[in-house]
Amino acid sequence: MLLKIIKVSFFYISLLISTTHAFAQDDPTETAKQVVEKFQAELIAVMKNGKQLNYAGRYEKLHDPVSNSHDLTKIARIIIGKEWEKLSEAQQQKLVDVIIRLSVSSYAHNFKDYTGESFVFDSEEETTRGGVVVHSHLNIPDSKPVKFDYMLKEKGNSWRIINIIANGVSDLALKRSEYTSVLQHEGFDALISKINEKIDNYSKL
Amino acid sequence: MLKRLNKRDYRDFSSKVFGVIPSLLLTSVILLSGCATTQADEKNITLNKDDPYENFNRKMFTFNDNVDGYFAKPISDGYKWATPQLVQTGVSNFFNNLKNVNVVINDALQAKFSQSAKDTGRLAINTTLGLAGLFDVAKHVGLEQNEEDFDQTLAVWGVPKGSFLVLPFIGPSTMRGLPGAAFDTAANPATYVGFPIMAVSALNTRANAEGSLQFINEASLDPYVFTRESFLQWRNNLATDGKSEASYDVDELDVDISDSPKNSANKADSTTDAHKETISSTPISK
């Protein structure tokens, strides 16, 4: 009997722990599609106010939406592949930091104003390894729509974007080729300073 | 206008830069797999399965860049500055329309008969109602511009793309792109109307690429690698009509980095193969 009580209370305790754990995650009910759509909505909102906000304002407004919807640590790891393990922890952190800043600044630079664009969800599919691909496209007035495919993976309890494929060109694959090439030919410090140079340019253009 | 171009080109840069030429594919997984054995590191750094002529290609790339910087860009900038947007669009539409002769032929060669019919309709409407192609009327009745060429036809027929090549004055291509470009040139009416028209055509191509080239300059750490990768991905995407799943390669990569080095070397190879057949989507109208 006592054993039964212990068992039952353990069950409830563990249930309690798991629910609090679930609530502790940021919005565990958010699906991959919702993560993408939320991010796209935030992007469009910034574009609409793009001119008033100017670069610094857009950067600030986009920083959290980008960091919260993307798994930038994973992105950094995939981009440099095997080289990741050769880096010290400090270097890894440094790389993740510049990649966050680069992502936000390229969004802030490239999505600077609004001329009637809108994102439309097309479909969603699961990949063989537990990822989800959200297919969508961006309608641009007087122009052919641009396909945007988002690859998401689960991080803890939430979905995070790890790759964006615009009209078939994978951002991750592109960066991976470039970064590994720079890393192998010129080394880690050169890579970081080149990325910083890009961030700097974005803020000035 | 420039601002607008910029923004748009973030999303469609690839389709404009490489306006004329052909082909597909990806790489650097090889660089990754090379790292499985430390000894091979030095050797494998420059090895890229798709780009065995990297040394030559990089020189050509630099040469083209210089030619562009000294000649093509100034002329193109002058053209963009001096010509009203309406005229530029008209010129662009005109050459696009001529290109559709080739599009229709290649639709048929790839057995895309319904698309071929639509593209024929597009050509007919724009040549007549669109006043010899100056106006893109067809777009407004739902006939979008399709992007087909002989290199894509060869891909559909199963011809492998071969090595990546940078051609003097022309730019990125592949082995398969050479016959592709020859066929496309022959099937383009603009080829037969004499030098001035061809010069305007080249000018138009360069002017249309401005935003994209600027995008590459802004975004790339290594413009050569950036151009090569985006070109090969873009061509692959066109050849497969965006039907395959580009995204899966990331899945593979993801596993690569979490797995033991030995396994990942093999997987990296298969990733490359998988990627060859992948990548998706539609080109952008000029």
Side-chain angles (χ1 to χ4, degrees):
Chain A
M1 184 62 198
L2 186 68
L3 197 68
K4 203 179 176 190
I5 292 173
I6 291 173
K7 264 188 185 169
V8 170
S9 46
F10 256 114
F11 173 74
Y12 279 108
I13 288 168
S14 57
L15 194 72
L16 195 69
I17 289 171
S18 64
T19 36
T20 20
H21 180 72
F23 279 116
Q25 300 290 327
D26 38 344
D27 206 353
T29 50
E30 223 175 30
T31 62
K33 181 190 167 190
Q34 283 167 334
V35 170
V36 169
E37 290 192 325
K38 191 172 156 201
F39 175 64
Q40 291 176 331
E42 283 160 335
L43 194 55
I44 294 278
V46 169
M47 284 162 75
K48 282 182 176 164
N49 297 310
K51 282 195 175 131
Q52 300 96 291
L53 284 169
N54 70 41
Y55 175 83
R58 292 194 300 272
Y59 186 97
E60 210 197 303
K61 285 243 184 245
L62 284 166
H63 186 274
D64 289 350
V66 172
S67 341
N68 294 337
S69 58
H70 294 58
D71 187 347
L72 287 153
T73 309
K74 188 167 222 162
I75 289 173
R77 278 182 65 195
I78 297 176
I79 284 175
I80 61 160
K82 281 275 167 279
E83 300 289 320
W84 179 264
E85 283 142 36
K86 297 183 194 161
L87 300 180
S88 70
E89 231 166 80
Q91 284 177 320
Q92 292 175 347
Q93 195 48 50
K94 202 170 182 182
L95 183 70
V96 173
D97 287 346
V98 292
I99 286 178
I100 292 175
R101 288 200 293 123
L102 179 72
S103 306
V104 180
S105 60
S106 78
Y107 273 114
H109 170 69
N110 288 300
F111 293 78
K112 58 178 68 153
D113 58 8
Y114 180 74
T115 45
E117 292 87 349
S118 59
F119 282 103
V120 180
F121 168 83
D122 294 318
S123 63
E124 187 176 24
E125 64 179 302
E126 276 178 32
T127 70
T128 41
R129 283 176 221 276
V132 165
V133 181
V134 174
H135 301 280
S136 68
H137 65 271
L138 181 75
N139 282 329
I140 308 166
D142 296 323
S143 187
K144 249 192 170 176
V146 180
K147 255 188 89 166
F148 271 85
D149 299 322
Y150 294 84
M151 166 87 200
L152 292 96
K153 284 265 178 174
E154 235 168 346
K155 186 192 185 189
N157 247 0
S158 60
W159 289 96
R160 297 295 184 96
I161 298 167
I162 57 163
N163 192 16
I164 301 176
I165 301 141
N167 266 350
V169 178
S170 152
D171 186 50
L172 211 49
L174 206 54
K175 287 215 169 78
R176 196 182 64 226
S177 308
E178 268 203 300
Y179 289 23
T180 45
S181 168
V182 173
L183 206 51
Q184 292 178 331
H185 287 111
E186 298 167 64
F188 181 77
D189 292 337
L191 177 67
I192 298 293
S193 72
K194 280 191 171 193
I195 298 173
N196 276 324
E197 207 177 288
K198 293 290 151 189
I199 297 169
D200 218 36
N201 278 341
Y202 280 139
S203 68
K204 286 175 195 154
L205 288 163
Chain B
M1 181 58 205
L2 253 184
K3 269 189 178 177
R4 213 182 127 62
L5 257 180
N6 259 338
K7 178 152 60 73
R8 190 179 298 171
D9 287 333
Y10 175 68
R11 296 156 302 214
D12 69 23
F13 65 93
S14 48
S15 58
K16 279 181 188 158
V17 207
F18 317 110
V20 220
I21 337 142
S23 232
L24 56 145
L25 184 42
L26 152 89
T27 39
S28 76
V29 190
I30 299 193
L31 297 177
L32 302 180
S33 58
C35 304
T37 47
T38 23
Q39 278 180 327
D41 263 17
E42 282 304 308
K43 262 188 179 175
N44 284 331
I45 277 176
T46 47
L47 252 189
N48 185 314
K49 201 165 123 194
D50 296 316
D51 195 7
Y53 311 117
E54 180 169 342
N55 280 342
F56 168 83
N57 284 339
R58 272 193 191 267
K59 279 178 194 138
M60 272 307 138
F61 187 81
T62 310
F63 170 77
N64 284 346
D65 197 42
N66 286 333
V67 171
D68 188 68
Y70 287 115
F71 300 100
K73 185 173 162 53
I75 297 170
S76 160
D77 285 351
Y79 166 75
K80 283 177 85 82
W81 179 80
T83 329
Q85 185 55 48
L86 189 73
V87 176
Q88 286 178 42
T89 310
V91 169
S92 198
N93 286 342
F94 175 78
F95 287 109
N96 237 2
N97 189 50
L98 291 183
K99 233 171 61 184
N100 273 328
V101 174
N102 191 33
V103 173
V104 169
I105 295 172
N106 283 290
D107 282 338
L109 291 175
Q110 294 170 42
K112 294 174 183 165
F113 297 114
S114 100
Q115 185 178 315
S116 183
K118 278 184 189 161
D119 289 337
T120 308
R122 185 179 164 77
L123 178 66
I125 291 173
N126 281 349
T127 306
T128 53
L129 295 175
L131 306 179
L134 289 176
F135 299 95
D136 189 356
V137 189
K139 188 171 78 181
H140 301 292
V141 294
L143 292 169
E144 284 290 347
Q145 173 73 42
N146 285 309
E147 198 88 9
E148 298 292 351
D149 49 50
F150 194 59
D151 175 64
Q152 290 180 56
T153 300
L154 291 175
V156 169
W157 290 354
V159 179
K161 74 180 191 323
S163 306
F164 178 69
L165 282 180
V166 180
L167 305 173
F169 301 106
I170 294 172
S173 184
T174 56
M175 288 297 192
R176 191 184 60 206
L178 298 175
F183 182 97
D184 294 339
T185 310
N188 191 334
T191 310
Y192 304 99
V193 284
F195 178 74
I197 298 289
M198 284 172 74
V200 178
S201 172
L203 180 61
N204 168 59
T205 306
R206 175 58 183 83
N208 282 339
E210 177 63 29
S212 315
L213 291 170
Q214 202 182 329
F215 180 86
I216 292 181
N217 265 335
E218 286 169 16
S220 64
L221 303 190
D222 180 340
Y224 172 77
V225 176
F226 191 101
T227 305
R228 181 184 69 205
E229 289 315 310
S230 49
F231 175 79
L232 294 175
Q233 285 195 43
W234 170 65
R235 290 303 309 181
N236 185 25
N237 180 47
L238 280 181
T240 56
D241 292 319
K243 291 220 176 71
S244 42
E245 302 301 336
S247 10
Y248 291 4
D249 70 309
V250 176
D251 256 0
E252 299 281 339
L253 277 171
D254 198 22
V255 170
D256 287 346
I257 53 170
S258 2
D259 275 6
S260 69
K262 271 185 185 172
N263 287 340
S264 59
N266 296 332
K267 272 180 190 149
D269 276 344
S270 63
T271 307
T272 319
D273 290 335
H275 200 96
K276 270 186 214 167
E277 311 303 333
T278 55
I279 304 278
S280 53
S281 197
T282 39
I284 296 306
S285 57
K286 300 262 158 72

